[in-house]
Amino acid sequence: MSLTVWTVCGILSLFGALCYAELGTCIKKSGGHYTYILEAFGPLPAFVRVWVELLIIRPAATAVISLAFGRYILEPFFMQCEIPELAIKLITAVGITLVMVLNSTSVSWSARIQIFLTFCKLVAILIIIVPGVIQLIKGETQHFKNAFAGNDASVMGLPLAFYSGMYAYSGWFYLNFVTEEVENPEKNIPLAICISMIIVTVGYVLTNVAYFTTISAGELLLSKAVAVTFAERLMGNFSLAVPVFVALSCFGSMNGGIFAVSRMFFVASREGHLPEILSMIHVRKHTPLPAVIVLHPLTMIMLFNGDLYSLLNFLSFARWLFIGLVVAGLIYLRYKRPDMPRPFKVPLFIPALFSFTCLFMVALSLYSDPVNTGIGFAITLTGVPAYYLFIVWDKKPKWFRKILDRVTVTLQILLEVVPSEEDQKS
């Protein structure tokens, strides 16, 4: 059943990625979800989207992948005993800080390191898939017998399985955050998205097939680091390489997420939906420094106050609600603006099926995990009064405006940032 969920989530992610490829080729602006909601539904939903990205989605998503990084990087030092939770969180905090320093220092270096880390991801997957295929050739198929017996698949469990599966695939929309930095986007965005989604889906499903050649479903659930358990049984001393490559893979996901989402904050600030300071760049390094470091304190709070699965359910409600809304916006734009140039166009059933699935799973998750998804829902709703208070209400007291101006100038001096060229033109 888990392999079925992995495969279905991969196909769904491909559908979502194809929809984003169409949006990325007809709306050639950076900012991803935020920009598309702004174009389709206007400023209020767009503001709420960037509000929850800042308060919930990005800090929690960074904390989740960083916790995996922390566990795997420490695994070689604690092979014979349990890793202390505090140690994982402390090394995770170091990793998060390192990623943010890297993205604040150099755009080109963070991009180069991302290419290297992507290579490490593929090596990590191959290190697991190849021995798994060899096990299958040897006839190690005992864990595949009666594969659907004993599973407790329920309608209530589906949204949380969907959240976990879709989270693992959820890199497909990052390219749309940096559309303005992509050369020849009409050709390269659809091509990059389609090639990567096929590779990732095949890689993830085969990785899980490989696990089941050596580990039973029960043992897999009990393992804190499945790749390490698998490697210990099959690879002997070489098994130490696996947690290192997996940790590098997680570090790559952290770096890619921060690199992309800082551009969303940058664009939202440029549109007047976030403080002006977030659209400024470093005077020498030309990096969106404020947009990167604004995430650090919130990510640390989430890291030390939550566990991996509660954080995942907490962030997923808001993330998939708005991704479903973005893809519904694609359908709406087909009718609202039929003359818009669309170099890449998907059949209408793909966005219809994807947006329905996202919104249905989000609604169902309120019953499956009412506490975490309920908190996410409540924080999302706070975006509405925040929009009217910070954006619509333009008769703010003079003393309040003076304080904001002083804070902005002080931060400019401390961070050595200036308005970007786009801001100066506008």
Side-chain angles (χ1 to χ4, degrees), residues 102-364:
L102 174 65
N103 278 273
S104 302
T105 306
S106 170
V107 173
S108 59
W109 266 106
S110 60
R112 283 177 201 146
I113 288 171
Q114 190 61 27
I115 293 166
F116 168 72
L117 293 171
T118 301
F119 172 74
C120 291
K121 285 171 190 250
L122 294 171
V123 169
I125 287 173
L126 285 172
I127 286 173
I128 293 163
I129 290 173
V130 172
V133 170
I134 293 167
Q135 289 286 91
L136 283 175
I137 292 166
K138 287 179 181 176
E140 296 289 338
T141 57
Q142 65 272 23
H143 296 141
F144 294 97
K145 290 170 184 173
N146 302 315
F148 286 89
N151 76 71
D152 60 347
S154 66
V155 175
M156 287 300 111
L158 274 177
L160 308 185
F162 168 85
Y163 281 168
S164 294
M166 294 296 276
Y167 175 82
Y169 287 105
S170 66
W172 49 264
F173 44 72
Y174 286 147
L175 190 61
N176 297 67
F177 285 34
V178 292
T179 303
E180 291 169 27
E181 297 171 51
V182 176
E183 291 180 18
N184 192 7
E186 295 89 346
K187 179 186 173 185
N188 289 334
I189 287 179
L191 203 58
I193 283 174
C194 292
I195 292 169
S196 60
M197 281 313 304
I198 292 165
I199 292 170
V200 172
T201 304
V202 171
Y204 282 4
V205 173
L206 287 180
T207 298
N208 282 276
V209 168
Y211 288 151
F212 286 122
T213 63
T214 307
I215 308 169
S216 70
E219 290 169 327
L220 188 141
L221 285 171
L222 289 171
S223 174
K224 293 282 182 70
V226 181
V228 173
T229 306
F230 173 83
E232 283 173 350
R233 295 193 183 179
L234 283 187
M235 300 179 190
N237 292 332
F238 185 69
S239 65
L240 285 173
V242 170
V244 173
F245 275 105
V246 175
L248 287 171
S249 171
C250 293
F251 192 85
S253 294
M254 291 154 63
N255 184 56
I258 298 296
F259 179 84
V261 86
S262 61
R263 271 57 180 179
M264 182 200 276
F265 296 154
F266 182 86
V267 172
S269 175
R270 204 167 64 187
E271 296 286 340
H273 283 170
L274 285 178
E276 185 189 1
I277 189 75
L278 295 181
S279 66
M280 295 187 186
I281 58 172
H282 194 273
V283 69
R284 290 186 303 278
K285 295 165 185 169
H286 305 292
T287 55
L289 178 63
V292 172
I293 63 171
V294 71
L295 290 166
H296 194 271
L298 283 166
T299 306
M300 290 299 165
I301 290 166
M302 298 227 178
L303 171 65
F304 286 98
N305 285 301
D307 65 275
L308 193 142
Y309 289 104
S310 63
L311 284 170
L312 192 58
N313 296 341
F314 172 63
L315 77 94
S316 293
F317 172 86
R319 170 178 270 176
W320 296 108
L321 170 66
F322 281 101
I323 288 177
L325 191 64
V326 168
V327 176
L330 182 151
I331 300 168
Y332 177 63
L333 283 171
R334 290 267 186 101
Y335 294 99
K336 183 186 172 187
R337 294 164 67 180
D339 299 329
M340 180 187 278
R342 290 178 173 86
F344 180 83
K345 198 172 179 180
V346 294
L348 203 58
F349 83 90
I350 289 179
L353 177 65
F354 182 81
S355 58
F356 172 78
T357 307
C358 284
L359 298 173
F360 178 71
M361 289 297 179
V362 161
L364 213 55

